[in-house]
Amino acid sequence: MRHAAASLTALSLASASLAAVLTAAPLAAQGHITTPREALGANFGDDYFLANYQQISNYWRTLEKESPRVKLQVMGKTTEGRDQLMVIVTSPENHRNLERYRQIAERLAKAEDLTDDQARALAREGKAVVWIDGGLHATETLGAQQLGETVYQMASRTDAETQRFLDDVITLFVHANPDGNDLVADWYMRMSDPKERTLNGLPRLYQKYIGHDNNREFFTSTQKETENINRVLYHQWFPQLLYNHHQSGPAGTVVYSPPFRDPYNYNLDPAMLLGIQALGTAMHTRLAIEGKPGATMRAGGPYDGWWNGGIRNTATFHNTIAVLTEMIGSPTPMRIPLIADRQVPRGDLAMPVAPQEWHLRQSVDYSVSLNRAVLDHASRLRENLLYNIYRMGKNSIERGSRDTWTPNPRRDAEVAKRVKGADSLIWAAQHAPEYRDPRGYIIPSDQPDFLTAIKFINGLRETGITVQRATQSFAVNGKSYPAGSFVVQTAQAFRPHVIDMFEPQVHPDVFPYPGSPPTPPYDNAGWTWAYQMGIRFDRLLEPFSGPFIPVTDWNVAPPAGSVSAPSGARGYWIDPRVNDAFTVVNRLLAAKVPVSRAPQAVTVGTGRDTRTLPAGAFWVPMNGTATAVLRAAATELGVSATGASQAPSGTVPLRAARIGLWDTYGGSMPSGWTRWILEQFAYPFRRVFAPEIDAGNLRGTYDALVFVEGAIPGVQASGRGGGSGGVLDEPPNLPAEYKGQFGRMSVDRSLPALRTFIEQGGTVVAIGSSAVNLAAYLQLPIGNHLAKDGTPYPRTQFYVPGSVLRMKVDTTSSAGYGLAGQTDVFFDASPVFSLGADAASRGVRPIAWFDDAAPLRSGWAWGQELLQHGVAAVEARVGQGRVLLYGPQITQRAQPHGTFKFLFNALYR
């Protein structure tokens, strides 16, 4: 998320681009429409052919000139600087009234200041708005190709059905990952002999930082493409239907399409669940009527309606009926295998497909059929869909305006066990006043890291959430709040998303039969972003009001910080609890300004402004350069610095570390996320690959090395590990820029080099499996807390898929400086350590641990009592250096700002 200046620029560009579309001159009748073969030299879906984004976007520009049905909008720039295009397709008459139809869609989606009769009148007048995307996951090559073909057909076909679609529907065709499309298609097409073309060996992630996780961050909006998409979805067009294309279909089928399997998220409107089922049924029915077999649904795949984070998932929390499909297909012909149990028709697979050779063009044809099924559904139910999105929004406003109770199976079961008597008594106990949903949330502006709270607010604003800000101090329920505090009321159309961001997820215990292993969720079980961000907020169960005004910016600029410099000041203190303080420190060190840290708490300020900063506070001696850097940071970032007239004693000087971040040929998503985080907080670093590590002499280049999940191989590995996308041999014609990256971490060469690096005074940060494997290689006195007699607990006894847990932190440890004593952390089947009896004498100490039997904050933790006394983070001295081992995912998808300091603290000398 970017600050105000960048936001205003993006807003201006997007608004100007949209205005150009909406104010277009009357459109002329179309003549000849250029075919894909005429434009590209091949048809979309031809064997051994992939069109890249440059070709597709140029083709769309041709179609815009030839067809009055087609208009392009530049949504914004991609991460690599390309224009991200959206193609708006509808009838020429609708194009002339496009802004009116957009306004209708917005009014109905927000559901404010409308009666049911007014909403019905708008629904009769309006046009259905449908979003269809492709190419989000660039190696799922079908997505971009089917998008190109569908736009062509919608621009050129003259049949009655197509004309009906154009008259009734405004379709937004969106290429979701232009950068990745160019990378993947160019890589595939680089070989002149078609039979030698392959997608194997792709040299880097197809989204610069996060690769496949570009569909895992739609509630955080960290990447440019996500921002572009969310602004169209939740600030401009508010579609009633969204169709998100993916690959690949379950083995023995062609395509997975909803209805999804349970569980569905309890925050969703009932009409959303039924709307998804109705749309999914229409899609399956069209394939069957057209004689296209092999479509499965529900338990035919792992996809559920629980998680919030993918484009189609986040959309459902905004009352947009959103679906995905997962379909087979490759530019290199493939085969559908024989899977015996996929040959028997049943409710989840009505029309099995025979094993056969399969071509990408067949998948393109299936995709076009499914796109047309969605458009047909939108056309036939146009008024219903427009009215229903209003009704779901109004339901949300009404739920936020009265006492409501969101289902909580875990709590309800506990209450039922505790309460004896009639059903009415159990029901009343389960609906006790203290279990009500909040009417709203207050985020006080006087919390230690208010700047991170603003980033949370910006994430809400990016997804269209209504936020207010206090213009002066106020009180609610006897508690005072300062001016500038944020308020998020739940009486708004997108209430499901609000609740989902603030409240814990309570994933049900899903076991197919007694004694069976659990059924994993499709993605995470719990993610409450307010918890992961580490912000402080109050839940208000009663209605409240105050001197609040709406926040209108997409990205709120932080309030300017202060740089106080009393007469005779010797320097400045900076609060270590503020994440952005580390950005300031990195700027100071880059400017050759000395910085040190206090190992104990310090008192700063004078008079009423006196306050205590915890251990780890930064001390910056007074000089002209320091003051200039601090004042610039106060204005830009909002970080304050408090002057002090006396220089402290006993502070520990810092030096900028020479940082190496492990990465691998083909790209690592956890490394990519960490790379993005380090860039945001101004850490200088280099990526380091296995060949450089194997070469040794690391201490001459680096002071600190960071190894994310999956980087360090286990000692049992046969020489190789640390992933390169499954590629063992160097691909042919490898560009020179990638040759120094190819290879894998090995036990026999890489790990000895790391040991030497550490023993010579280097610092290594290892996360997740890398922490376990490094500890084992170094023979540290660390064991597996989640094992009995050396055998790990089976999933039937302990299972924690991605969830938020709470742990105790030693804030006197330099690794724990600035963190809260009780900190929420993201845990995903993560390692938990036990320390040997001789750990302390060998320089091994705990940094964080689970100090009670119920650490679950959000998600699903079967057998969570087994976590008690387990160690989550360890610091170990090895020779002259140190190792920091973190079991949980402290940088998970750049969501847990509350645990970033575990990494940041380690990256100084």
Side-chain angles (χ1 to χ4, degrees):
M1 291 162 286
R2 297 183 287 276
H3 296 313
S7 299
L8 290 173
T9 300
L11 173 59
S12 300
L13 288 172
S15 298
S17 179
L18 180 61
V21 172
L22 301 183
T23 60
L27 301 165
Q30 64 185 36
H32 173 71
I33 302 298
T34 299
T35 68
R37 179 170 291 281
E38 290 170 338
L40 309 173
N43 288 313
F44 291 110
D46 279 356
D47 288 350
Y48 305 107
F49 171 75
L50 288 178
N52 65 20
Y53 179 71
Q54 181 177 353
Q55 293 171 306
I56 293 172
S57 59
N58 287 340
Y59 180 47
W60 284 345
R61 290 186 176 96
T62 298
L63 294 180
E64 182 183 33
K65 294 175 182 177
E66 296 175 343
S67 172
R69 306 172 182 179
V70 175
K71 281 295 172 183
L72 301 186
Q73 177 186 337
V74 178
M75 301 165 64
K77 293 293 186 180
T78 67
T79 299
E80 296 178 14
R82 293 170 175 84
D83 285 342
Q84 185 170 12
L85 293 181
M86 175 170 70
V87 187
I88 304 176
V89 178
T90 191
S91 70
E93 178 62 28
N94 289 345
H95 271 299
R96 284 189 282 270
N97 297 285
L98 207 58
E99 173 60 11
R100 173 58 180 166
Y101 296 133
R102 190 204 64 77
Q103 291 173 354
I104 290 172
E106 180 176 8
R107 288 201 68 193
L108 291 172
K110 291 184 175 179
E112 298 170 346
D113 303 320
L114 285 176
T115 66
D116 287 358
D117 287 342
Q118 290 171 328
R120 289 190 186 280
L122 288 173
R124 285 192 295 272
E125 179 187 354
K127 303 297 181 181
V129 181
V130 174
W131 170 288
I132 297 176
D133 63 52
L136 182 60
H137 290 156
T139 51
E140 299 172 4
T141 53
L142 170 63
Q145 309 303 303
Q146 65 80 26
L147 197 67
E149 175 67 19
T150 304
V151 171
Y152 161 65
Q153 292 197 20
M154 290 298 295
S156 61
R157 287 180 60 165
T158 58
D159 58 278
E161 183 183 60
T162 298
Q163 191 60 57
R164 175 166 56 86
F165 296 167
L166 294 167
D167 289 342
D168 293 341
V169 182
I170 297 165
T171 309
L172 312 177
F173 290 103
V174 176
H175 197 304
N177 184 7
D179 297 347
N181 186 182
D182 272 351
L183 172 70
V184 171
D186 290 350
W187 181 260
Y188 180 80
M189 298 294 290
R190 77 191 192 283
M191 305 299 286
S192 58
D193 182 350
K195 297 297 180 65
E196 293 183 2
R197 290 174 182 165
T198 178
L199 293 170
N200 293 335
L202 201 69
R204 61 180 176 88
L205 297 174
Y206 53 72
Q207 199 282 345
K208 178 178 178 180
Y209 295 101
I210 64 174
H212 197 83
D213 271 357
N214 67 350
N215 196 35
R216 301 293 184 271
E217 65 121 24
F218 274 90
F219 68 73
T220 55
S221 300
T222 68
Q223 306 302 302
K224 291 182 179 180
E225 296 87 348
T226 313
E227 286 190 315
N228 296 339
I229 289 170
N230 280 346
R231 291 177 181 185
V232 171
L233 289 174
Y234 310 125
H235 291 268
Q236 292 179 1
W237 273 107
F238 308 90
Q240 297 89 51
L241 300 181
L242 181 151
Y243 179 13
N244 177 223
H245 284 260
H246 286 277
Q247 286 176 268
S248 183
T253 72
V254 174
V255 59
Y256 179 95
S257 176
F260 301 111
R261 67 172 176 86
D262 288 329
Y264 277 87
N265 191 292
Y266 307 131
N267 294 320
L268 298 176
D269 191 284
M272 175 56 59
L273 279 62
L274 297 170
I276 291 172
Q277 292 181 36
L279 177 56
T281 300
M283 296 166 75
H284 281 268
T285 301
R286 182 157 189 135
L287 291 182
I289 292 299
E290 292 184 358
K292 293 183 169 72
T296 187
M297 67 183 89
R298 296 192 181 92
Y303 313 101
D304 60 36
W306 181 258
W307 171 62
N308 188 339
I311 181 174
R312 61 97 180 173
N313 311 79
T314 301
T316 63
F317 291 84
H318 292 73
N319 303 321
T320 292
I321 296 170
V323 298
L324 62 66
T325 54
E326 300 274 352
M327 191 182 300
I328 66 171
S330 170
T332 301
M334 55 179 290
R335 283 198 63 82
I336 298 176
L338 173 63
I339 306 295
D341 67 356
R342 301 275 193 183
Q343 292 300 313
V344 180
R346 56 182 184 271
D348 289 349
L349 180 60
M351 191 177 181
V353 64
Q356 58 187 280
E357 183 174 79
W358 194 262
H359 299 267
L360 185 61
R361 181 64 202 195
Q362 292 172 275
S363 295
V364 168
D365 291 341
Y366 268 63
S367 296
V368 170
S369 292
L370 290 168
N371 289 334
R372 294 181 70 85
V374 172
L375 295 175
D376 186 41
H377 189 76
S379 171
R380 294 180 184 279
L381 298 177
R382 176 183 59 83
E383 287 189 34
N384 285 356
L385 292 171
L386 284 161
Y387 181 78
N388 289 354
I389 197 171
Y390 154 77
R391 190 64 248 184
M392 285 187 277
K394 187 171 183 179
N395 290 346
S396 289
I397 293 171
E398 291 174 349
R399 290 182 186 115
S401 304
R402 67 172 188 264
D403 288 344
T404 56
W405 287 260
T406 296
N408 185 324
R410 196 169 299 124
R411 183 185 67 208
D412 289 352
E414 293 170 354
V415 170
K417 289 180 182 178
R418 186 176 70 246
V419 176
K420 307 298 182 183
D423 288 350
S424 60
L425 295 176
I426 296 173
W427 177 264
Q430 291 172 338
H431 292 76
E434 62 270 25
Y435 295 152
R436 287 174 294 168
D437 295 334
R439 297 292 184 92
Y441 305 89
I442 299 175
I443 301 175
S445 61
D446 58 355
Q447 58 187 286
D449 192 2
F450 186 55
L451 300 178
T452 293
I454 290 175
K455 294 175 183 178
F456 172 73
I457 289 297
N458 285 339
L460 297 182
R461 288 294 302 133
E462 288 280 3
T463 54
I465 299 304
T466 298
V467 177
Q468 298 171 303
R469 197 167 193 173
T471 57
Q472 60 191 54
S473 60
F474 65 100
V476 176
N477 294 340
K479 181 175 179 177
S480 297
Y481 297 92
S485 298
F486 289 109
V487 174
V488 183
Q489 304 275 8
T490 58
Q492 56 180 292
F494 300 155
R495 176 182 181 272
H497 191 71
V498 173
I499 296 292
D500 210 61
M501 293 295 98
F502 281 96
E503 297 293 305
Q505 286 78 48
V506 184
H507 195 285
D509 296 328
V510 182
F511 294 88
Y513 54 87
S516 75
T519 300
Y522 170 65
D523 196 86
N524 293 328
W527 50 86
T528 309
W529 199 28
Y531 292 175
Q532 292 194 70
M533 293 289 277
I535 66 173
R536 299 181 184 180
F537 65 93
D538 290 333
R539 305 167 69 249
L540 282 301
L541 301 183
E542 302 289 346
F544 66 98
S545 60
F548 310 144
I549 60 172
V551 174
T552 57
D553 292 338
W554 281 338
N555 272 314
V556 178
S562 62
V563 180
S564 63
S567 178
R570 302 289 299 278
Y572 305 92
W573 288 107
I574 304 176
D575 193 334
R577 295 171 294 181
V578 179
N579 276 356
D580 284 321
F582 291 85
T583 306
V584 179
V585 168
N586 291 332
R587 292 180 179 181
L588 289 165
L589 294 174
K592 309 301 181 185
V593 174
V595 181
S596 59
R597 302 192 82 170
Q600 292 90 27
V602 296
T603 300
V604 303
T606 58
R608 292 183 178 179
D609 295 329
T610 300
R611 58 197 174 98
T612 299
L613 300 183
F618 298 101
W619 170 253
V620 184
M622 171 77 74
N623 66 46
T625 302
T627 301
V629 171
L630 291 173
R631 286 178 176 168
T635 300
E636 178 191 348
L637 302 176
V639 177
S640 294
T642 304
S645 57
Q646 184 175 352
S649 60
T651 60
V652 179
L654 300 182
R655 286 183 294 167
R658 299 168 300 168
I659 302 167
L661 170 64
W662 171 87
D663 207 341
T664 185
Y665 179 89
S668 156
M669 287 185 291
S671 178
W673 278 116
T674 307
R675 177 185 177 190
W676 185 84
I677 293 167
L678 293 177
E679 289 182 9
Q680 301 308 302
F681 290 90
Y683 278 94
F685 68 97
R686 287 174 46 183
R687 289 190 295 161
V688 57
F689 295 83
E692 184 180 358
I693 292 173
D694 291 350
N697 194 28
L698 294 168
R699 195 69 184 89
T701 308
Y702 301 103
D703 302 302
L705 295 173
V706 179
F707 294 90
V708 297
E709 174 73 36
I712 296 179
V715 293
Q716 300 85 5
S718 57
R720 294 175 130 172
S724 289
V727 179
L728 297 179
D729 298 318
E730 182 176 300
N733 301 333
L734 183 66
E737 63 184 297
Y738 302 115
K739 285 189 177 292
Q741 302 176 5
F742 194 85
R744 291 187 172 191
M745 295 281 289
S746 63
V747 174
D748 56 346
R749 297 192 64 181
S750 308
L751 297 193
L754 286 186
R755 179 193 288 274
T756 300
F757 169 77
I758 299 166
E759 290 175 343
Q760 291 177 348
T763 295
V764 166
V765 178
I767 301 171
S769 63
S770 291
V772 173
N773 293 337
L774 183 60
Y777 178 76
L778 296 176
Q779 297 183 317
L780 299 176
I782 295 174
N784 181 4
H785 179 75
L786 298 174
K788 184 176 182 180
D789 298 327
T791 302
Y793 292 114
R795 282 190 167 190
T796 52
Q797 292 181 261
F798 180 82
Y799 181 60
V800 184
S803 298
V804 182
L805 307 181
R806 175 156 285 184
M807 61 186 186
K808 177 72 174 176
V809 178
D810 178 3
T811 58
T812 66
S813 162
S814 62
Y817 283 165
L819 282 112
Q822 293 285 338
T823 292
D824 293 331
V825 67
F826 189 83
F827 188 101
D828 188 7
S830 302
V832 180
F833 310 118
S834 60
L835 303 188
D838 58 343
S841 64
R842 294 180 57 184
V844 178
R845 59 175 293 191
I847 302 169
W849 57 92
F850 299 107
D851 61 343
D852 65 45
L856 177 65
R857 290 274 281 158
S858 180
W860 186 15
W862 182 256
Q864 64 173 312
E865 65 278 0
L866 295 173
L867 288 164
Q868 189 170 24
H869 307 307
V871 176
V874 173
E875 180 176 12
R877 290 287 171 180
V878 178
Q880 299 177 35
R882 65 173 181 156
V883 176
L884 295 164
L885 307 173
Y886 296 108
Q889 298 298 314
I890 59 172
T891 59
Q892 164 77 4
R893 296 174 181 166
Q895 294 172 14
H897 289 235
T899 54
F900 285 177
K901 283 186 278 284
F902 280 124
L903 174 64
F904 293 169
N905 284 325
L907 300 183
Y908 297 112
R909 289 190 289 172

